[in-house]
Amino acid sequence: MGSAHPLGDQLPAVFADDDFALRFVSGLDVVLAPVFTVLDCLEAYFTPSLTPEDFLGWLTDWVGTELDGTEPLATRRRAVASAVELHRVRGTHRGLAAAVELAFGVRPEIAESGGASWSARPLGAFPGTPRPALHVSLRVRDPASVDPHRLRAVVAAARPAHLPFTAEVTATPFPEGT
């Protein structure tokens, strides 16, 4: 790898004709060239779509994504790029749906026990059910292709912390005649 900033060109004129000095600093150019290249391209290392694959693993840890490292490269890049948005909506219905969809590529069905309403009169009925619960159902063509333990881990990481949950993988119903 050639250096973008060869040290021999930056030596004082006294060393311009000194063969030993030029050979010595050219050896340093070989050592410093990768450092200069990384520093010149540092922004690309923190851009999920451009970062090298080996550095992407570090980025996933730094931004706190819920990945296990077995996902395709494109999914890992999308997870890093959307990490800030997912952290912002973490613990909400939208955040849970987005996290499951990111991990499995399918929008889940989510049933919650809670609710919200308002009334102009006091002592109105409370919405939802008294027992807190969350149920996530992932409908896919081949349920055997989805790891249910991975689904539970994703739901556990993205759900509201106080809410007990169940998660299941079911088959997509096929229309008649197919």
Side-chain angles (χ1 to χ4, degrees), residues 12-126:
V14 163
F15 297 107
D17 294 331
D18 187 349
D19 185 51
F20 173 76
L22 292 176
R23 283 185 292 128
F24 179 75
V25 295
S26 71
L28 295 175
D29 284 339
V30 172
V31 173
L32 293 175
V35 174
F36 288 140
T37 302
V38 168
L39 290 176
D40 287 345
C41 304
L42 191 60
E43 183 180 338
Y45 278 81
F46 298 103
T47 305
S49 60
L50 300 175
T51 191
E53 188 174 352
D54 58 341
F55 196 78
L56 185 63
W58 287 359
L59 280 182
T60 58
D61 291 341
W62 289 350
V63 298
T65 60
E66 301 297 334
L67 300 176
D68 63 2
T70 62
E71 296 83 1
L73 180 62
T75 301
R76 289 184 285 156
R77 290 186 188 278
R78 275 196 318 274
V80 171
S82 63
V84 171
E85 174 62 21
L86 284 177
H87 285 306
R88 190 175 68 77
V89 295
R90 188 176 193 154
T92 65
H93 185 282
R94 184 173 66 152
L96 176 58
V100 171
E101 185 173 9
L102 179 66
F104 298 100
V106 177
R107 194 92 173 151
E109 296 174 8
I110 300 172
E112 300 176 75
S113 62
S117 69
W118 71 276
S119 174
R121 296 184 309 159
L123 303 176
F126 289 110

